[in-house]
């Protein structure tokens, strides 16, 4: 028998009552506020007059975010497994990602309106496009949370919110491609050791589109329907993009073309950044039957940092997400002894943008993971960097004969 | 012989009698007819051989 009130979940079991209070319950609303981040720049610009205030959302994303994660620290608290069904059924949690959907439209439209109606120089417009892109990179995260769910309403809302940054192929690519191939060399959305984010982006962005299209083509072929039909879920989302972005160009003029291009790219770049850090260098082993081993908790990098997990719907508890992709954000668990990032995503992204720093911080962490323990054969390595990395960390010049156990 | 197979990861159920219209699997498509590399359409974590017959 379950009794539930606003904050406390209680479940009577044979072993006694289990109670759980989700201390983050109302803090999850942070993800709604973050979707509106361009308005922080617009509001302060309106208030104080100087267009430099339009940079405030960037400051919040890349300076305040990492500092808050460092300052507030980590939350390793997990709901008891028995309570998870109660959390999953709570409509409050289901409502939040749904409510963020219109906010992502508002962020883009508001930034476009401000860019075209204020006397701004080029860099003021650029800052608005970037801040809207950051907000709608988060929109891809909302689409991610919704697109993994089983209700048609949530899946349709994923297509709609992904349309804002013109990334409607994401749900298909991610759910049916990335989750199947994660942490293998075949996955364009899993980064390799020695691969910079700039090289990764050139593989990930086109690779995502190609794989999504191939997966959808395969499904529609089974149905006996042309890939160029309205049943194509990628095209459904692109149609919303087309209407939205053409309407913005028609309303606010030709300047919207570069504005939208920058906005769209910045949003994609947020996803690329997340994909880059989530599985860097991690590799599933091939089994005798030719299949890759099932994705294990140590095949994802995780972070329990409080602030960025709240604005990203627990995306950083990534191991549990890959173990249970349909599980809702409020129920995702921290695992002990999984690969851990030293900061939340907002701190790790700028680090990734300076490849030499990224390699210096992450390569030793990767090598030291218990399941790798210096064994280069257990790492997903950029083939072009293999020799140099073996020379640095493994056995130089004997790449084909690296022992299966720990490298010297 | 069960006509329903369940994904042990996410609980997706394939009903042979119903097929799966979204996936282009016609009603009556037996589980054994699904491709060997078929993965759960909801979670993509489990392969065909992981599915459990259920009622």
């Amino acid at each position: 028998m379950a009794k539930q009130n606003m904050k406390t979940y209680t479940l009577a079991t044979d072993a006694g009552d289990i109670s759980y209070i989700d201390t983050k319950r109302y803090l999850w609303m942070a993800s709604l506020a973050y979707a509106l981040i361009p308005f922080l720049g617009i509001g302060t610009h309106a208030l104080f007059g100087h267009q430099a205030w339009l940079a405030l959302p960037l400051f919040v994303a890349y300076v305040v975010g990492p500092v808050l994660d460092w300052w507030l620290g980590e939350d390793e608290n997990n709901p008891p497994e028995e309570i998870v069904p109660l959390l999953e059924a709570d409509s409050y949690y289901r409502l939040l990602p749904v409510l963020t959907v219109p906010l992502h439209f508002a962020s883009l439209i508001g930034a476009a309106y401000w860019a075209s109606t204020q006397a701004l120089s080029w860099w003021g417009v650029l800052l608005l496009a970037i801040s809207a892109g950051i907000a709608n990179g988060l929109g891809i995260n909302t689409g991610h949370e919704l697109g993994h769910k089983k209700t048609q309403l949530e899946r349709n809302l994923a297509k709609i919110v992904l349309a804002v940054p013109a990334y409607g192929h994401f749900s298909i690519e991610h759910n049916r491609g990335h989750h199947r191939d994660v942490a293998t060399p075949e996955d364009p959305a899993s980064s390799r050791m020695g691969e910079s984010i700039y090289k990764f982006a050139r593989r990930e962005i086109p690779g995502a589109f190609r794989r999504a299209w191939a997966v959808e083509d395969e499904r529609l072929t089974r149905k006996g329907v042309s890939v160029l039909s309205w049943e194509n879920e990628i095209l459904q989302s692109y149609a919303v993009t087309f209407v939205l972005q053409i309407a913005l160009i028609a309303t606010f003029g030709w300047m919207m073309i570069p504005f939208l291009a920058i906005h769209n790219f910045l949003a994609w770049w947020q996803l690329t950044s997340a994909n880059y850090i989530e599985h860097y260098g991690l590799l599933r082993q091939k089994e005798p039957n030719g299949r890759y081993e099932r994705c294990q908790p140590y095949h994802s990098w995780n972070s329990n940092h409080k602030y960025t997990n709240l604005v990203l719907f627990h995306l950083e508890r990534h191991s549990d997400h890959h173990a249970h992709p349909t599980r809702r954000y409020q129920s995702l668990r921290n695992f002990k002894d999984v690969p851990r990032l030293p900061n939340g995503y907002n701190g790790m992204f700028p680090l990734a943008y300076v490849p030499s720093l990224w390699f210096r911080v992450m390569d030793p962490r990767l090598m030291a993971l218990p399941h790798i323990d210096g064994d280069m054969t257990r790492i997903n390595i950029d083939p072009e960097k293999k020799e140099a990395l073996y020379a640095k960390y493994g056995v130089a010049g004997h790449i084909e004969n690296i022992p299966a156990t720990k490298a010297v | 012989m069960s006509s329903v197979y369940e994904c042990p990861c996410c609980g997706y159920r394939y009903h042979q009698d119903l097929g799966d219209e979204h996936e282009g699997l016609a009603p009556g498509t037996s589980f054994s007819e699904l491709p060997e590399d078929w993965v759960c359409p909801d979670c993509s974590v489990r392969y065909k051989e992981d599915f459990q017959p259920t009622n």
Side-chain angles (χ1 to χ4, degrees), chain A residues 197-347:
Chain A
I197 190 169
Y198 306 105
K199 185 177 181 185
F200 172 68
R202 296 199 298 275
R203 189 166 64 86
E204 184 242 10
I205 295 173
F209 177 80
R210 277 197 296 269
R211 185 164 60 181
W213 197 260
V215 168
E216 188 64 347
D217 188 16
E218 193 180 316
R219 182 181 76 87
L220 293 171
T221 301
R222 272 200 308 269
K223 294 188 77 165
V225 175
S226 165
V227 73
L228 297 176
S229 79
W230 284 114
E231 285 200 46
N232 183 326
E233 295 183 354
I234 300 172
L235 294 180
Q236 290 170 8
S237 184
Y238 285 175
V240 177
T241 303
F242 184 79
V243 170
L244 171 66
Q245 301 205 349
I246 291 293
L248 287 172
I249 294 167
T251 308
F252 298 123
W254 294 111
M255 73 173 298
M256 281 294 109
I257 292 177
F259 181 92
L260 289 168
I262 293 165
H263 159 268
N264 293 344
F265 179 76
L266 253 293
W268 303 357
W269 183 250
Q270 304 302 306
L271 172 67
T272 296
S273 304
N275 276 334
Y276 182 72
I277 70 174
E278 282 164 350
H279 306 282
Y280 177 75
L282 301 172
L283 179 67
R284 286 154 65 194
Q285 297 295 300
K286 260 201 174 156
E287 294 183 330
N289 63 5
R291 290 259 171 86
Y292 285 102
E293 65 177 314
R294 194 175 306 144
C295 182
Q296 300 295 327
Y298 49 80
H299 291 131
S300 304
W301 289 97
N302 291 260
S303 159
N304 279 312
H305 289 86
K306 289 178 186 169
Y307 169 71
T308 42
N309 264 303
L310 284 171
V311 297
L312 289 170
F313 289 128
H314 252 163
L315 179 67
E316 300 175 4
R317 287 188 167 181
H318 212 63
S319 290
D320 200 20
H321 170 61
H322 272 274
H324 301 97
T326 59
R327 183 169 277 201
R328 291 172 186 274
Y329 64 96
Q330 68 271 23
S331 316
L332 289 172
R333 294 162 305 163
N334 162 54
F335 289 132
K336 281 186 176 167
D337 303 324
V338 288
R340 298 273 282 268
L341 296 166
N343 196 276
Y345 282 14
N346 285 36

Side-chain angles (χ1 to χ4, degrees), chain A residues 8 43 49 53 68-69 78 99 115 189 199-200 202 315 336 383 395:
Chain A
T8 308
W53 285 102
L68 277 179
D69 266 347
N78 281 338
L99 288 178
K199 185 177 181 185
F200 172 68
R202 296 199 298 275
L315 179 67
K336 281 186 176 167
V395 182

